[in-house]
Amino acid sequence: MPQSGRKRARARRRNRPASSAEQAAIRHVRWLVGRVLGRRRRAAKPSAAGEGPAVAGPPGARRAAIESSLRRGAVLSKRLLRRLAAVVGTFARFVAGALGRGVKSFGRLLVARRVFVIGTFQRLLWWSALALFVIGGRDLLSPYDGTLVEALPYFIVGFSLCALAILMASSRRVRWAALALGFGHGALCLLLWTVIQG
């Protein structure tokens, strides 16, 4: 009998509508149980994925990844090359402008000091002819160390430099000095030519 009474009380409780507090408690318990079970499921998924065989992607996934990385590298290299070309172009323009200004200023200086420049060039011709005369004479005085054929070009070039200095010189001293040195070059050149031909 007592057991049947308990059953009847339980049946009455089930048939009785639940109060709002009971309904709220039931909802809270369901929500809490759902959260706990959801966490456990999410924590169990990676381990199961790690333990199981690796899931293969689509067949062209790796190739597509390589192509995308290559495209990315090409775009980055193009950007880098553009920046480098811009820097090099700016530097080249700066250098060209500086060189142009330097050449212009040097040309203006040469025009302003043309008398000095021409006189220096004439004296340089004469000193070069004198150096060639000394080198050729050294070969001429020591025929065993250097042959006479090797000394001949020095006198030919020295004679040409003296002739050029005579034509360009505006100073009488430079003309007379070039004429004397030119006679020396010419005489030794003629002598060597005669000896070589004989």
Side-chain angles (χ1 to χ4, degrees):
M1 291 296 279
Q3 288 180 358
S4 61
R6 280 181 199 161
K7 286 180 184 176
R8 269 184 254 145
R10 280 181 193 162
R12 263 188 250 133
R13 267 190 241 132
R14 280 183 198 149
N15 294 334
R16 178 176 59 88
S19 66
S20 59
E22 288 176 348
Q23 289 176 359
I26 290 169
R27 278 197 307 270
H28 182 68
V29 169
R30 284 179 182 167
W31 176 82
L32 189 62
V33 170
R35 289 292 298 265
V36 170
L37 289 176
R39 280 182 193 168
R40 284 183 184 169
R41 284 175 189 164
R42 281 196 297 271
K45 277 181 186 176
S47 65
E51 289 169 7
V55 180
R62 184 166 182 173
R63 185 176 177 183
I66 292 172
E67 287 177 357
S68 67
S69 61
L70 286 175
R71 270 197 268 1
R72 232 177 293 129
V75 168
L76 289 175
S77 60
K78 280 180 185 176
R79 286 180 190 166
L80 184 64
L81 284 175
R82 281 179 197 156
R83 288 179 186 170
L84 189 64
V87 170
V88 169
T90 306
F91 182 71
R93 282 194 294 272
F94 173 74
V95 170
L99 282 175
R101 287 191 295 273
V103 169
K104 282 181 185 176
S105 61
F106 186 67
R108 282 193 217 110
L109 179 67
L110 288 181
V111 169
R113 308 280 179 142
R114 61 182 174 273
V115 176
F116 173 74
V117 171
I118 291 171
T120 305
F121 183 66
Q122 293 164 3
R123 284 160 179 78
L124 185 63
L125 287 175
W126 189 84
W127 283 104
S128 301
L130 182 63
L132 289 173
F133 188 80
V134 171
I135 294 169
R138 185 194 60 193
D139 288 344
L140 188 63
L141 291 174
S142 56
Y144 299 106
D145 295 332
T147 61
L148 299 177
V149 179
E150 289 178 356
L152 185 62
Y154 293 116
F155 296 116
I156 293 172
V157 175
F159 181 77
S160 304
L161 291 178
C162 289
L164 189 60
I166 291 169
L167 292 173
M168 290 183 62
S170 56
S171 172
R172 185 175 289 179
R173 282 184 308 176
V174 176
R175 276 202 302 265
W176 280 109
L179 184 64
L181 190 57
F183 273 129
H185 274 289
L188 288 175
C189 181
L190 187 60
L191 178 64
L192 277 175
W193 181 260
T194 307
V195 169
I196 290 169
Q197 292 299 320

